[in-house]
Amino acid sequence: MAKEVRQLDRVIIRFAGDSGDGMQLTGDRFTQESAAFGNDLVTLPNFPAEIRAPQGTIPGVSSFQVHFADHDILTAGDAPDVLVAMNPAALKANLGDLPKGCTIIVDTHDFTKRNLDKAGYDANPLDTLDDAGSQLAEFNVQPVDLTGMTVASVAEYGLSRKDAARAKNMFALGLLSWMYGRPTDTTVEFLSKKFAKAPAIRDANITAFKTGWNYGETTEAFAVQYEVKPATMPAGTYRNITGNLALSYGLIAAGVRSGLPVFLGSYPITPASDILHELSKHKSFGVTTLQAEDEIAGVGAAIGASFAGHLGVTTTSGPGVALKGEAIGLAVMTELPLIVVNVQRGGPSTGLPTKTEQSDLLQAMFGRNGEAPVPIIAPSSPGDCFTAAVEAARIAITYRTPVMLLSDGYLANGSEPWAIPTVDDLPLINPNFTTTETLNGDTFEPYSRDPDTLARPWAIPGTPGLEHRIGGLEKDGTTGSGNISYDPANHDHMVRTRQAKIDAIANSLPPLEVDDPSGQAKVLALGWGSTYGPIGAGVRRVRKAGHHVAHLHLRHLNPFPNDLGDILTRYDKVLVPEMNLGQLSLLLRAKYLVDIVGYNQVRGLPLKAADLAQAISDLVAQTNNTTVDLTATPKEEN
């Protein structure tokens, strides 16, 4: 039968189920289908920290949210338009996030008394859908026996009932792919390759996927199919990419553009481990990876690689940075290039290993003994992790310093379309090694300084005539000899010189670009890291309501760009949203004596665009002595 097709400009879908239900794979496949179709998209995977949480319980719920649209979007969305719930726990865990009118597709098969008890239900909520007081009355609930139909559709392949039921996620994917007109070839090809060595499982998953599609096409339960047209994007070749993958590619590109072999010394830790996994695949680009026995060994090996003339990198999350602190101080003292990637997660201690946070900025700034300044940069989106990695390498190599690169779990695991750059468009990075030829007969002084960057020479060990001392003890910098020195005046000189070297990085940074189209804004929304999307979406909504607000996002957090102070003085109020208790606010207040207004949440989840829009509008209303009505604006294009 012919079904109605409705046009939509954007949709947010959340797949939720037990951590063994394959929700991450389902969401990833729907994302790849949407990317192939040409939509703009942003994703938010969300999974439990336990390797295998108790089955059917709320702590064991895993979800994947994908926001796709026919226009430029900035976030994974505040709340889903469609929830696919594979069991009672998935329904209950996500019910509080759902707006009125949301479509809920529920797998009825697992709504047994045992599973209802695990999820904390006294009665089956699906039994009272038509009752006036039903908690699901305000939603469009579609009960579907996903598991039962899946098992029936794959019966011919001789799988056990347990193995057959595992394909229910592909049935759900097929149904949603039909609902939103997603291309199916990419998923069929993926399944064919993934299960090539297990033909029965391969065929069962493909059949379940196609059966889900056909169910949507033929059932009367779903009378409408939706169409979200491709987005208009700047010309280029695109691929969908996660932050960790983009960061890995950025490190490889930095090695190519600097001519240096890349060495990664790392210890596995959530959510940074994927960088180690990815870089281990690229030996052909001169990448060497070492899975060390612990965090300290990983960074020590990376420093040793830098001493030998490689681009040393170490990857970790906040707890690992704590362990690496002494070695990072060694890299400060020896003045060797080093990239320290911190994919931030909820803390302190083990904290929330699979959740996102921005709470390591002060650790990056001050988390070492003594005066040990380190440059800090932060990417703003999954694709921007590539550019940030290249920039981190530029600074580390040019200024002979360790660099902290602050990503976070939202960027690392989230994805978006990424325009693949041309290699020749990437900046060249000159290691400028000292050789006997470059000395031109002069005496080698390992702690002499480049007059522009204040960087000391980088000499490869074993080069005749370039022997020098290196280590964690203070060096004689007044003569440049690098001999160990306990002289008080020399120590003061070296402390100030190392700080001046980091400060000098600001001279190489381009002017900041403030998004203030009208030039009439009195309020500036200022952010860093993964808050870029939510802040930008909130700013858009306030502007749609007819009010003026400026937006500025920082990549370089130490040193701050030279023009930041002047920009801050242009605005009556500066709002700084962060996923911490105000760490950037503290630094800005200390340096620029500006009365920052903080907006702070530490929930292990990205900030919500609607909440930020309200916070921005409240500050605009207060500053301009007016009212801001956001309810009259269209649904935010976040």
Side-chain angles (χ1 to χ4, degrees):
M1 62 179 178
K3 295 194 176 184
E4 179 185 355
V5 177
R6 295 180 188 170
Q7 296 286 335
L8 298 175
D9 64 347
R10 58 192 286 277
V11 177
I12 303 168
I13 298 175
R14 182 181 296 174
F15 299 92
D18 193 75
S19 57
D21 286 340
M23 294 296 94
Q24 302 304 318
L25 175 63
T26 307
D28 180 70
R29 290 318 312 160
F30 192 93
T31 298
Q32 298 300 333
E33 292 175 359
S34 300
F37 188 73
N39 296 123
D40 194 16
L41 59 89
V42 183
T43 67
L44 175 61
N46 193 357
F47 37 85
E50 291 81 4
I51 294 175
R52 191 66 177 91
Q55 188 172 10
T57 63
I58 290 178
V61 172
S62 174
S63 68
F64 189 107
Q65 184 163 302
V66 53
H67 180 192
F68 60 104
D70 65 2
H71 57 272
D72 172 50
I73 55 176
L74 298 174
T75 77
D78 289 350
D81 303 305
V82 180
L83 171 68
V84 179
M86 305 300 279
N87 61 17
L91 176 63
K92 190 166 188 178
N94 290 281
L95 204 58
D97 291 342
L98 306 183
K100 291 182 180 180
C102 173
T103 295
I104 305 176
I105 299 173
V106 184
D107 182 3
T108 60
H109 185 272
D110 282 342
F111 275 69
T112 62
K113 185 180 186 308
R114 184 167 180 265
N115 285 329
L116 289 166
D117 289 344
K118 286 183 179 180
Y121 279 112
D122 297 327
N124 189 342
L126 302 182
D127 292 341
T128 58
L129 288 178
D130 297 328
D131 295 353
S134 170
Q135 61 176 316
L136 300 177
E138 59 188 10
F139 307 114
N140 173 26
V141 182
Q142 298 288 343
V144 181
D145 186 4
L146 296 174
T147 301
M149 286 190 284
T150 298
V151 172
S153 71
V154 304
E156 64 182 286
Y157 301 111
L159 300 175
S160 68
R161 181 176 178 83
K162 182 178 180 181
D163 287 341
R166 286 176 175 166
K168 64 184 178 181
N169 63 326
M170 289 298 104
F171 187 103
L173 177 60
L175 174 58
L176 271 293
S177 298
W178 171 83
M179 285 181 64
Y180 294 98
R182 303 293 89 186
T184 60
D185 292 345
T186 55
T187 294
V188 172
E189 181 181 356
F190 169 82
L191 293 172
S192 298
K193 292 180 179 179
K194 181 175 178 64
F195 299 112
K197 296 182 180 180
I201 295 176
R202 175 198 64 201
D203 295 342
N205 276 277
I206 293 174
T207 298
F209 175 67
K210 291 182 176 179
T211 303
W213 174 282
N214 293 334
Y215 176 76
E217 182 73 24
T218 58
T219 184
E220 294 183 5
F222 296 93
V224 180
Q225 188 178 28
Y226 301 94
E227 182 180 32
V228 180
K229 293 183 177 180
T232 301
M233 310 281 279
T237 301
Y238 288 81
R239 61 156 296 166
N240 189 53
I241 200 165
T242 65
N244 274 347
L245 184 56
L247 201 152
S248 301
Y249 288 173
L251 293 172
I252 295 170
V256 170
R257 297 303 278 171
S258 64
L260 298 177
V262 175
F263 177 91
L264 174 67
S266 184
Y267 182 76
I269 183 172
T270 301
S273 300
D274 285 343
I275 303 172
L276 171 61
H277 300 160
E278 183 61 33
L279 286 178
S280 68
K281 303 174 184 177
H282 297 288
K283 297 179 178 64
S284 61
F285 285 101
V287 178
T288 301
T289 55
L290 170 68
Q291 182 174 318
E293 63 269 30
D294 55 40
E295 295 281 6
I296 299 171
V299 66
I303 294 172
S306 289
F307 178 53
H310 293 220
L311 176 56
V313 183
T314 190
T315 54
T316 188
S317 190
V321 174
L323 291 168
K324 295 177 190 291
E326 182 179 4
I328 296 171
L330 174 64
V332 171
M333 178 62 81
T334 56
E335 299 189 51
L336 288 169
L338 176 70
I339 299 176
V340 181
V341 178
N342 179 357
V343 186
Q344 300 167 94
R345 70 189 203 188
S349 187
T350 311
L352 305 175
T354 61
K355 310 300 180 184
T356 194
E357 205 163 282
Q358 282 186 303
S359 52
D360 294 345
L361 176 56
L362 294 184
Q363 180 192 39
M365 190 78 179
F366 303 117
R368 295 160 297 283
N369 67 297
E371 294 286 345
V374 166
I376 307 169
I377 68 174
S380 59
S381 70
D384 189 49
C385 288
F386 175 91
T387 308
V390 175
E391 173 66 355
R394 180 192 73 83
I395 292 174
I397 293 169
T398 303
Y399 293 88
R400 314 289 197 251
T401 179
V403 176
M404 296 289 296
L405 199 166
L406 295 183
S407 178
D408 63 48
Y410 178 33
L411 298 181
N413 296 317
S415 64
E416 66 176 355
W418 175 62
I420 301 174
T422 301
V423 174
D424 291 342
D425 291 338
L426 300 176
L428 282 172
I429 305 172
N430 184 6
N432 195 25
F433 287 119
T434 298
T435 65
T436 52
E437 288 78 13
T438 59
L439 284 176
N440 292 322
D442 294 337
T443 302
F444 176 55
E445 296 179 345
Y447 278 82
S448 60
R449 301 285 169 181
D450 181 284
D452 296 322
T453 65
L454 297 181
R456 78 171 187 88
W458 192 5
I460 304 299
T463 305
L466 302 186
E467 297 86 355
H468 58 284
R469 292 179 176 85
I470 196 166
L473 292 172
E474 184 63 279
K475 304 297 182 293
D476 181 356
T478 55
T479 66
S481 70
N483 294 335
I484 295 170
S485 173
Y486 295 98
D487 179 69
N490 175 75
H491 180 55
D492 184 84
H493 168 76
M494 290 297 282
V495 165
R496 294 178 186 276
T497 300
R498 287 189 288 264
Q499 182 64 58
K501 181 177 69 170
I502 303 307
D503 293 342
I505 295 170
N507 298 328
S508 72
L509 305 182
L512 289 169
E513 297 182 7
V514 183
D515 178 19
D516 186 3
S518 69
Q520 301 177 47
K522 295 183 179 180
V523 171
L524 171 67
L526 173 66
W528 68 279
S530 65
T531 59
Y532 172 78
I535 296 173
V539 166
R540 286 182 181 181
R541 195 171 185 201
V542 173
R543 288 175 181 170
K544 282 186 176 182
H547 297 270
H548 305 289
V549 59
H551 181 200
L552 174 62
H553 210 73
L554 296 179
R555 176 192 300 281
H556 297 88
L557 302 169
N558 188 41
F560 288 127
N562 287 331
D563 52 348
L564 178 57
D566 291 337
I567 290 171
L568 295 178
T569 61
R570 298 179 202 165
Y571 298 94
D572 294 351
K573 295 289 184 180
V574 179
L575 177 71
V576 178
E578 299 181 79
M579 292 186 292
N580 57 47
L581 295 183
Q583 297 187 14
L584 178 60
S585 296
L586 178 70
L587 296 177
L588 293 174
R589 289 190 186 107
K591 184 171 181 63
Y592 299 109
L593 304 180
V594 174
D595 186 18
I596 301 295
V597 179
Y599 177 91
N600 306 100
Q601 289 187 359
V602 199
R603 302 171 60 244
L605 294 169
L607 301 179
K608 290 189 175 183
D611 295 342
L612 282 175
Q614 189 60 58
I616 294 168
S617 65
D618 290 345
L619 193 57
V620 168
Q622 173 191 336
T623 305
N624 293 285
N625 194 25
T626 186
T627 58
V628 178
D629 183 11
L630 295 179
T631 61
T633 62
K635 191 175 183 181
E636 70 272 24
E637 297 181 4
N638 57 4

